[in-house]
Amino acid sequence: MSDNLAEPVIRVRGLVNRFGSETVHDGLDLDVIRGEVIGIVGGSGSGKSVLLRTIVGLNRPVEGIVEVFGRDVLRMSGSQRRQIENRWGVLFQDGALFSSLTVAQNIEVPLKEYYDMPLRLMDEISAVKVGMVGLPEDAGEKYPAQLSGGMRKRAGLARALALDPEIVFLDEPTAGLDPIAAGAFDELIRDLKASLGLTVFMVTHDLDTLFAVCDRVAVLVDKKVRIGTLDQLLKDNHPWIHSYFHGPRGRVARLSQAGAVTRPETSSVAPA
Amino acid sequence: MASVAATLTQFEESGSFVVAAAGEWLVATAAELDRRLRALKVPSGKRVVLDLAGIDRLDSAGAWLLLRTEHDLTTRGNTVDIRNLRSNLAPLLEQVRAGGIVSPAPHPRPAHHTIIGFLARIGEISIEIVVRAYAILGFFGAVCETAAALLLHPRRLRMTALIVQVEQTGVNALPIVGLLSFLIGVVLAYQGADQLRRFGAEIYTVNLLGAGILRELGVLMAAIIIAGRSGSAFTAQIGTMRVNEEIDAMRTIGLDPVEVLVVPRLFGLVLTLPMLTLYANIIGLVGGSFMAWASLGVSPPQFLRQLEYSLYPWTFWIGLLKSPFFAFIIALIGCFEGFQVARSAESVGRLTTLSVVEAIFLVIVADAGFSVFFSILQI
């Protein structure tokens, strides 16, 4: 899947992030290739979410270059930013849905902001997104507070997909979901990637997700990233990476993937 | 977006209707395509071919439009044939199809516009008020019970928390209460002097100031500022703890939230507000005396002498007497609304506003009650 000749859609060079005296990233380089699913892993506090926030422009780094679609996102005017912002979608950890709006209205926010279209069509498109992310049809009229955590994540993804972006950023998409819901979410991301040709930038802790959907994995260690396919990283000798992939949980995730069993079934059987 | 173009043409070919779609069927062109697809005139009972050979790019909005058209034509008794879609675009169409032909979610009903709706709203609000009053009464009872138990066992009283509350609600409020009281004194003196001068009774400005500030304005200003400053803070603090499940955590550890959170705030405020009232009274009179001196030439010693003549002994105490009751109301409402917060951040904001409005409302109602009470006692 990783075609090395393909253009990078995200290019990070020499990134330095510092909070007070704490250096989180120190000269970090990263390329994300169009059409791939890249997983970002790392220990707690290693700056996974900070990296995501930096790329989408929510955090200003101390130093470094961040280019998305070949454009420098740190040094651009507001109108240039808008042109880029409708080409990506972001799913925050708990969905970050606007609590005063229904799910359907949440999905319509970016549509309203960027396009002048009849209300009825907007309602239809938001209903299509609700269906695509696998929410029940009546979810559209509900408020975020009425949804479960997993449904909020799906609704957040529906909003992130509202404009059919080229890149979606997912911040821990399966955290806090039960194994069945997490497996379904993995499958959803895989399907959407196949049908929409999405590039997916995913911060995750979930080893199963890594094995199930990621083409390449970037590991944040020593304030930089080590990037590679899973096979490459499995052979890496760095102590953190080794214990991450070869620890008990890493082994289980690898086995279940190698057995080519779909995870929903394995996990629902396991407790018995 | 100017380069994006999508086209739609229709023609008849050997007995079947052909609709040829081409170009970029994207969310950017969806509005225009939607209009043209709706205007499409196809008689029912025909064979219709959707020829998609010309479509270069497709996203889920475009895919939806195609599927909707197919669905609409089929329900009108046509047979529909989708053909020539590029193979790389097919999965998207299938993905959208798998989501189902959906009916859009209804939007939340706007506010009631009819007379019946208006009456219904009045009824709803009335019931809400009664239910709320009942709940506040229940909370009042629970707080009184806990407070009485703590007064019997003063060791369980959390002194540190209480002192922190006195500092936050009292000491930190001194600048704002002082400034506003001073200004009220100045304004009142100026207006009083202006009116009373017409009768040559300027000196009675002092009587007006004394009675006005000591009986009413000092305590009301202090109470209203504290309702806005500390009552709201109580709701926000306790409400945030509700959202974070901190209150639940407290219960599982065996701590009583009323004892830990409410009683220190209540006692703190009941101690603080009388002191703030005294302070507001003094600063208000200083402001009034300053204005009296500046505009009437009444020197501070004269002002004090006139004040001494004009006041009944209890005038001073009436304002102070009311303040602990107001403090009780403010703390009770502030904490009560904090506990009403549901598990969403949005309700913290809503209930904080509500708590300030309710507290000020009840303080003024109570003040009116006190006026009636004192007039019956003829003091």
Side-chain angles (χ1 to χ4, degrees), chain A residues 123-124 129 137 164 195-196, chain B residues 38 60 64 68 103 107:
Chain A
D123 287 346
E124 286 173 0
K129 305 290 170 180
E137 208 173 301
D164 278 281
S195 58
L196 299 172
Chain B
R38 284 193 191 284
S60 54
W64 160 250
R68 189 189 71 188
S103 48
H107 285 271

Side-chain angles (χ1 to χ4, degrees), chain A residues 99 102 105 108 111 115-118 120-121 123-125 127-129 131-132 137 140-141 143 163-164 191 195-196, chain B residues 1 27-28 30-31 34 38 59-61 64-65 68 88 91-92 95-96 99 101-108 344 346:
Chain A
S99 53
T102 64
Q105 288 171 330
E108 287 170 20
L111 291 170
Y115 299 108
D116 179 24
M117 57 172 67
R120 181 158 163 203
L121 178 63
D123 287 346
E124 286 173 0
I125 291 180
V128 167
K129 305 290 170 180
M132 275 173 80
E137 208 173 301
E141 59 190 284
Y143 286 93
L163 297 176
D164 278 281
D191 288 350
S195 58
L196 299 172
Chain B
M1 291 292 151
V27 62
D34 175 57
R38 284 193 191 284
D59 70 7
S60 54
W64 160 250
L65 287 175
R68 189 189 71 188
N88 60 337
L92 175 60
Q95 172 104 40
V96 175
I101 300 295
V102 286
S103 48
H107 285 271
S344 77
E346 180 220 358

